[in-house]
Structure formats: C-alpha cells, structure tokens
Amino acid sequence: QDQLQQKIICPGPVTCLTASPNGLYILAGVAESIYLWEVSNGNLLAILNRHYQDLTCLCFTDDSSHFLSGAKDCLALVWNLYSVLQVEPSQIPDPRHVWSRHSLPITDLCCGFGGPLARAATASLDQTAKLWEISSGELLLSVLFDVGIMAVTLDLSEYHMFCGGMDGSIFQVDLCAWPVQRDRTFQTERENGKVFKGHRNQVTCLSVSTDGSLLLSGSHDETVRLWDIQSKQCLKTMNHKGPVTNAFIVLAPANMFNPDGKPSVPLPKFSKHLHGTESNDEQGSEGVTLRLGLHQQECGESYLEKAERMYSQMYSTREKNLVGDQEHLTIQVSELEEEVSTLRKINKNLFDFSARIITKPAK
C-alpha cells in the first residue's frame, strides 16, 4: 500500500474541508470555528468564530476571492478572503453577508461561476433550497420540497439546480422557468420528469460533469450512481462498504496517465496556532514566505517604505549638490542668459526681414 505523504493533526474533529481553486489556502470547519491555513508553509492565518453551532459545509468562489460557510445554526455566511487576511489579529473579521432565511441547519453549499458576481445555492433540513446573489446578498429563489435537502449543486451553465433529498430522491429545478417566481414549491407528482429515483437512503453529495450531461450522486445507501441527466436513467452504480460522504467529478490530471508519475511534494504540517504567536524555535528559517498586508509584521520595511526612503535620500542629495556648488550654478545661469539674449536678437532680425518682404510694394 502507498504510504501517507503527510498526517496533519487538526485542533479537533474536522466536519468540513475545502481548498481554494488557486491552491493557496485551505479551509476547515472545526466545531463552530473556521480555520484558514496557507498551503505553502502551513501557517494558520485566521480563526473565524461567527457561527454559534458546528460547521457543516464550506466552499470557495471560482476566483478564490470569497468563501461561504454554513452551519447547524441555520446561518450561511459570505466572507471576503482578503478582508479576513488584512484584519489585525486582535480584531474579529466581519462577514460580507449573513444569510438567515433558513429555519433549520444548513446541509450544503454550492457556488456558481463569476467570482464575487456569482450565484450561490444553499440547502437545508427545512426542506428548502435557496439561490442567492453574492454581490448584493439578495435572495433570488427559494424552492420548497416535501423532504429535507441534504445536497445541492448547479450545472456549468447554471440552467438547472439539482437537490438531493433525505428520502434518496434527486430533484432537478429549472432556474429559467417561466413565469419567474421568487418562492416556488416543487410538487413531485406534477414534475415526475425532473426526479432521479434509485437511491434508498439520503443523498449526501452531487456533482455535474462539465458538459452538463452526467450527474454523479453519493448516498448513505453505500452506493455512488452516475445518471444521464436528459433521460434520468442510472448509467452506472458503484458499491462501497459504508455510507458515501463525498463524491465529485474532476478533470483527470495529465500525470495520472503517466506510468512514471510520482506523487507531488507533501504538504507542510499545518500549524495549530495563529501566525505570529508561535515561539521562534517552531518557525523554520528556510523557504520564502509571501504574505498580504498586516502579515508582513516583523519582516522589515515594505516595498513602498523602501521606495519612499530611497526617494528622500535622492532628493536630499540633489539639494546638497545645488547648495554646495553655488559657483557652478551661477556660471550656468549667466550662460543661459546670454543664450536667451542671442535668441531674442535672432528672432527680432527674422521679424524685421519678414515684415519687409510682406510690405514690399508689388512691381
């Protein structure tokens, strides 16, 4: 068997985990706290405590600029990553939006495309799935089902929203249906053509292929199923030896098909203490660390401070040269005055010559 590349011990049981699409940061939910680590060096950059009960789900926007968190306290929070990184350690960062329209615990989150302009979907045990706008924080759509919703995802074109229920059913919601209604009820008996049936227990995860033709689902019935979205037929069933907690479709990396391919460099150990509070013995001196804003503490002067210092030195040197070489400056001024006087004479001669030519009477 392959050896583990790294075993990272976290401060407590991890209930949810996600990585930023750019690969720079890791988020983990431990009890009611959100832990933010920097992947390159394992530094713990922030601990966010704005939820009142255990975390259930975390996800990033596609540009890694924002992330969303959901918990058993029925709240879904939207965070600006760079605002979190810029806040002083003594202050508590504020989320950009607090969505409190669910009445029971949040079970899943899904973010569309568009970075801070994207739409996000939330699922809850209150039998609703809701669609939100991240930029404004407004609620765009709320769909009521007859069972609690455990998983939610969007297709690539964001034309459909797929919701997995506690009874094993998967519901397909058309986001562009007419007429447009903010509050909608999904009536299973009327929309039989939009329900995937096959799982015998609650659906825990959903994922759509990039071409929008296939849907992957995992369930507590110990199976993963691959569905054809158009016909709602199950194409393949993969059995497991326990409840499936997560499954998703990804593009296969090129290295996967290389027989000589080897695992990448293992991750560093993730720190259990906020960056800047560790003892000097624990901080390694190797490698290069890039940080934002206030995380440059104790790292010397910044680029702007260095540029300002060099400019002030250059300006003071110039002043000293002007004051110390007064005689040379006087000579330069006198030479310039002579040159100006000569140019004035040439200009006057040209003007007189032109005037004589223009006023000369015609023969």
Side-chain angles (χ1 to χ4, degrees), residues 77-99:
L77 307 182
V78 180
W79 304 84
N80 184 314
L81 174 62
Y82 304 114
S83 297
V84 170
L85 294 177
Q86 296 290 332
V87 169
E88 295 181 2
S90 59
Q91 296 179 344
I92 301 176
D94 291 323
R96 182 174 177 181
H97 300 300
V98 177
W99 294 335

Side-chain angles (χ1 to χ4, degrees), residues 54-93:
D54 290 357
L55 269 291
T56 56
C57 44
L58 290 164
C59 71
F60 272 96
T61 56
D62 61 329
D63 66 344
S64 304
S65 66
H66 291 72
F67 62 90
L68 286 70
S69 61
K72 293 181 179 180
D73 59 5
C74 314
L75 297 178
L77 307 182
V78 180
W79 304 84
N80 184 314
L81 174 62
Y82 304 114
S83 297
V84 170
L85 294 177
Q86 296 290 332
V87 169
E88 295 181 2
S90 59
Q91 296 179 344
I92 301 176

Side-chain angles (χ1 to χ4, degrees), residues 159-184:
Y159 193 83
H160 301 293
M161 178 170 66
F162 299 92
C163 306
M166 292 192 69
D167 64 349
S169 299
I170 303 172
F171 310 100
Q172 176 181 314
V173 179
D174 295 333
L175 300 180
C176 300
W178 189 262
V180 178
Q181 296 175 323
R182 177 166 293 187
D183 294 294
R184 194 187 308 175

Side-chain angles (χ1 to χ4, degrees), residues 208-229:
V208 181
S209 62
T210 53
D211 63 356
S213 63
L214 300 174
L215 174 68
L216 186 73
S217 63
S219 170
H220 275 189
D221 65 5
E222 304 182 1
T223 65
V224 171
R225 292 177 179 263
L226 190 66
W227 307 83
D228 177 69
I229 292 178

Side-chain angles (χ1 to χ4, degrees), residues 9-75:
I9 306 299
C10 293
V14 177
T15 56
C16 48
L17 182 73
T18 188
S20 61
N22 59 17
L24 298 180
Y25 303 99
I26 289 284
L27 281 175
V30 179
E32 69 277 0
S33 301
I34 303 171
Y35 285 73
L36 173 63
W37 282 283
E38 192 172 6
V39 172
S40 61
N41 50 32
N43 285 338
L44 179 58
L45 301 182
I47 302 176
L48 307 175
N49 297 292
R50 287 300 299 266
H51 284 285
Y52 306 104
Q53 294 186 39
D54 290 357
L55 269 291
T56 56
C57 44
L58 290 164
C59 71
F60 272 96
T61 56
D62 61 329
D63 66 344
S64 304
S65 66
H66 291 72
F67 62 90
L68 286 70
S69 61
K72 293 181 179 180
D73 59 5
C74 314
L75 297 178

